Amino acid sequence: MREEEIEKLRGVVRDCVSKHLYSSAIFFADKVAALTSDPADVYMQAQALFLGRHYRRAFHLLNASKIVLRDLRFRYLAAKCLEELKEWDQCLSMLGDAKVDEDGNVYDTKDSNVMYLDKDGEDREINISSAICFLRGKAYEALENRAQARLWYKAAIKADPLCYEALECLIENHMLTCEQETSLLSSLEFGSEDGWLSSFYSCLIKKYDKENVVEAKFREIEKEKCDSVHSSLSFSHSLKNNTDLLACKAEYYHQCGEYQKCFELTSVLLEKDPFHLKCTLVHLAAAMELGHSNELYLMACNLVKDYPQNKATNLDGTFAPAWIGYGNAFAAQEEGDQAMLGYRTAARLFPGCHLPTLYIGMEYMRTHSFKLAEQFFMQAKTICPSDPLVYNELGVVAYHMKEYNKAVWWFEKTLAHIPSSLSEMSEPTVVNLAHAYRKLKMYHEAISCYERALTLSNRSLSTYAGLAYTYHLQFSDGDDTNDRSVRQQTWENGGERNGSLWVQLDGGNAVGSPREEED
């Protein structure tokens, strides 16, 4: 058979693959490989077998070739076959020996030289070394070695910033803290044409910056345009209405407590893309906060039908909200041991997420183990030093331990870390600050905080009662020996507050406002 006829057969194989006719692709690729014995044709045959889900046969074909350990393409595809077969140890062995340091730099163990993971020669191809690092990360994660998985994912994204899947695993599985995410992003070497990608990645990571900083990031991406000309018409397209960007915005609105704004945005987005999973999760969270029970029921039914293998701890052990929700459900029933089990599992699986550690502290506070609670709140602050809720809980612990000056300091830091202007979600912290000032007999400051809280929410009976009680103490020179009935009435009318400023995920623990103690 002439070379031009063989080249036509190669074209048939490529066309069959593009049309998803994998059996036809396997048939013709097998004939081409038999006629030429060219390694490129053997690789094409192996790819056709892989796409046709004949993983064992594809691996045997690649492993039988003499260049499988010398050609990175062969080695990578062979390892992909082993990945699909769930043979993780063999997968790592096929990928070769290499070590990675904490910064994501890869070292070859044979000569101890740093592997410079430069891009391949062909334009806009993702570096094969980056793909190999990513596959190593997946293998280690499957073997529950999440520490090594994290390092290899970092190596993959550093080897090639276009390897989005590596960044997605790091973010979605909460493998990095806020500071680590920012540091990793700043270390990536983007091409001159990839400025938009750097901006987009910055919107994907945890967003605890001030409101003007986050909004500036969104505006920068929205300005990115692509001008094109079709026939006699000129078009200008932008990322302003991109579903991924809108989902990031909705997530930020939810984080800031703007649930109605978040719900409206996710509703519009889901009409456009009803199966956008990230948006679906944010939509559910906003619907829960707004009390839209019908919407929650309908969405739950659709999720069971459309994603039967996702989002439960037995089916998807790396889904953080499921583990946290598991703990919260038990905490709401005051089943502390089971709640702790869920939170501790989440803290182990998701070291970059501060919420499990925060909720462990809340459980300890519920049982009046204030010192232990403080330790876990400090750990949560180390993981995420910019979440106001952490500072609020530290203030509550200090209040319960009668360290009122310290409580004031923590509550003031809480208000300083709120990214946007104060809203009804911030009101519990303002009231907590008023309580602490009152305990210090700083009545003018306490009254000012109570009045400020009433401007944020004028429907709280305990705030009015606290304000009245402070006026009483002020005019009686702090002598409250005969005012026990007033204080009792104050706290019988709902003095306990929910500890969560943004998301009601505290497992039912009413810790946001300290209960009045004996003066």
Side-chain angles (χ1 to χ4, degrees):
M1 188 176 290
R2 293 183 308 225
E3 179 60 33
E4 55 268 25
E5 293 174 335
I6 292 176
E7 186 56 39
K8 286 183 179 179
L9 281 180
R10 292 189 183 108
V12 170
V13 174
R14 291 190 290 270
D15 187 60
C16 289
V17 168
S18 69
K19 290 183 171 64
H20 309 286
L21 301 172
Y22 298 128
S23 293
S24 298
I26 292 168
F27 176 82
F28 289 110
D30 173 66
K31 306 308 174 286
V32 172
L35 287 168
T36 66
S37 297
D38 189 318
D41 292 327
V42 173
Y43 182 76
M44 182 175 67
Q45 181 187 2
Q47 274 193 315
L49 289 167
F50 180 85
L51 293 170
R53 304 176 70 84
H54 299 284
Y55 305 122
R56 188 72 68 183
R57 187 180 171 194
F59 174 74
H60 176 76
L61 175 65
L62 292 164
N63 203 35
S65 67
K66 296 180 181 180
I67 64 170
V68 66
L69 297 179
R70 291 185 287 112
D71 189 308
L72 285 178
R73 296 176 306 156
F74 276 67
R75 184 187 297 182
Y76 176 68
L77 186 55
K80 287 291 290 182
C81 294
L82 292 169
E83 175 200 12
E84 295 293 338
L85 295 168
K86 310 300 181 187
E87 297 179 2
W88 301 109
D89 289 315
Q90 294 90 325
C91 176
L92 287 170
S93 177
M94 175 57 65
L95 291 172
D97 295 326
K99 300 294 182 183
V100 62
D101 64 18
E102 279 292 332
D103 296 323
N105 299 312
V106 181
Y107 297 85
D108 192 307
T109 57
K110 293 181 180 179
D111 56 14
S112 299
N113 290 327
V114 177
M115 294 170 59
Y116 291 98
L117 305 178
D118 296 326
K119 294 181 72 66
D120 294 337
E122 295 191 30
D123 188 32
R124 306 314 288 170
E125 280 193 0
I126 291 181
N127 192 333
I128 186 66
S129 297
S130 175
I132 288 174
C133 290
F134 176 68
L135 185 52
R136 278 198 182 101
K138 291 189 70 177
Y140 277 116
E141 186 172 9
L143 293 170
E144 297 189 2
N145 189 341
R146 294 175 65 83
Q148 279 293 308
R150 172 175 56 84
L151 297 179
W152 283 111
Y153 288 147
K154 286 174 68 175
I157 190 68
K158 289 188 73 172
D160 194 333
L162 296 183
C163 188
Y164 165 76
E165 287 179 80
L167 183 66
E168 182 182 40
C169 287
L170 289 169
I171 294 174
E172 297 299 323
N173 294 340
H174 301 280
M175 291 185 166
L176 302 176
T177 65
C178 295
E179 292 180 353
Q180 288 171 338
E181 286 183 354
T182 303
S183 175
L184 175 63
L185 200 59
S186 64
S187 70
L188 301 184
E189 298 180 2
F190 292 93
S192 57
E193 69 277 23
D194 294 330
W196 70 272
L197 185 60
S198 175
S199 300
F200 209 113
Y201 281 177
S202 69
C203 290
L204 295 176
I205 63 176
K206 296 180 178 71
K207 295 173 280 293
Y208 285 102
D209 295 322
K210 288 293 185 182
E211 183 180 27
N212 60 329
V213 176
V214 178
E215 292 290 350
K217 290 180 181 178
F218 286 128
R219 285 195 298 271
E220 185 177 355
I221 300 174
E222 290 170 355
K223 288 190 298 184
E224 199 69 38
K225 292 184 178 180
C226 175
D227 297 320
S228 58
V229 178
H230 295 283
S231 302
S232 59
L233 299 176
S234 177
F235 298 92
S236 181
H237 305 279
S238 75
L239 293 172
K240 185 175 183 178
N241 296 316
N242 177 260
T243 53
D244 285 340
L245 183 62
L246 292 177
C248 286
K249 268 192 171 183
E251 192 175 45
Y252 177 67
Y253 291 147
H254 181 272
Q255 181 180 295
C256 292
E258 299 184 33
Y259 302 125
Q260 186 60 41
K261 197 172 181 179
C262 171
F263 185 79
E264 291 172 358
L265 180 57
T266 54
S267 298
V268 172
L269 203 161
L270 288 175
E271 287 183 9
K272 180 180 178 182
D273 186 353
F275 301 102
H276 194 288
L277 194 55
K278 183 176 180 179
C279 178
T280 299
L281 298 176
V282 180
H283 185 75
L284 287 171
M288 186 196 73
E289 296 293 349
L290 296 170
H292 296 340
S293 55
N294 289 339
E295 181 74 13
L296 286 169
Y297 177 77
L298 292 173
M299 292 293 291
C301 292
N302 290 334
L303 284 172
V304 170
K305 180 180 67 175
D306 298 328
Y307 299 100
Q309 298 302 315
N310 286 9
K311 312 314 169 196
T313 56
N314 286 339
L315 299 175
D316 183 3
T318 61
F319 185 54
W323 282 110
I324 295 174
Y326 176 87
N328 289 346
F330 282 109
Q333 301 299 319
E334 297 190 359
E335 294 284 348
D337 292 341
Q338 290 295 324
M340 283 291 200
L341 176 63
Y343 295 145
R344 290 186 187 280
T345 302
R348 176 176 57 84
L349 293 176
F350 316 108
C353 182
H354 68 292
L355 293 177
T357 306
L358 182 67
Y359 298 148
I360 290 173
M362 288 180 174
E363 275 299 298
Y364 277 124
M365 190 154 59
R366 186 176 65 84
T367 58
H368 301 109
S369 301
F370 298 125
K371 283 292 183 183
L372 282 172
E374 186 178 39
Q375 290 176 17
F376 279 95
F377 290 149
M378 291 301 292
Q379 289 180 28
K381 186 173 84 71
T382 301
I383 297 171
C384 184
S386 49
D387 185 0
L389 179 55
V390 177
Y391 295 93
N392 182 74
E393 302 309 311
L394 282 166
V396 174
V397 167
Y399 184 98
H400 280 300
M401 293 193 295
K402 302 185 185 298
E403 298 175 355
Y404 302 121
N405 282 309
K406 191 175 178 181
V408 166
W409 188 76
W410 284 121
F411 291 139
E412 287 178 341
K413 283 189 73 75
T414 302
L415 298 176
H417 277 83
I418 293 174
S420 56
S421 57
L422 296 186
S423 64
E424 187 174 353
M425 296 302 298
S426 318
E427 184 253 358
T429 298
V430 179
V431 175
N432 289 348
L433 181 58
H435 293 332
Y437 275 133
R438 192 187 71 246
K439 284 293 188 178
L440 293 170
K441 298 187 178 181
M442 300 172 65
Y443 299 126
H444 289 292
E445 290 82 355
I447 290 170
S448 175
C449 287
Y450 283 128
E451 291 176 342
R452 187 181 184 188
L454 289 172
T455 65
L456 301 174
S457 174
N458 58 7
R459 294 173 296 176
S460 174
L461 296 179
S462 63
T463 306
Y464 284 108
L467 179 60
Y469 185 45
T470 305
Y471 275 123
H472 172 81
L473 292 174
Q474 183 183 37
F475 289 109
S476 62
D477 294 326
D479 181 9
D480 63 341
T481 55
N482 297 317
D483 296 311
R484 196 156 303 202
S485 61
V486 175
R487 184 167 62 253
Q488 183 180 4
Q489 182 183 7
T490 298
W491 299 110
E492 283 181 353
N493 282 282
E496 293 282 352
R497 290 184 184 275
N498 196 300
S500 175
L501 300 182
W502 284 271
V503 263
Q504 305 286 341
L505 286 176
D506 60 4
N509 298 334
V511 296
S513 177
R515 181 178 288 279
E516 183 72 16
E517 303 290 343
E518 292 293 329
D519 283 308

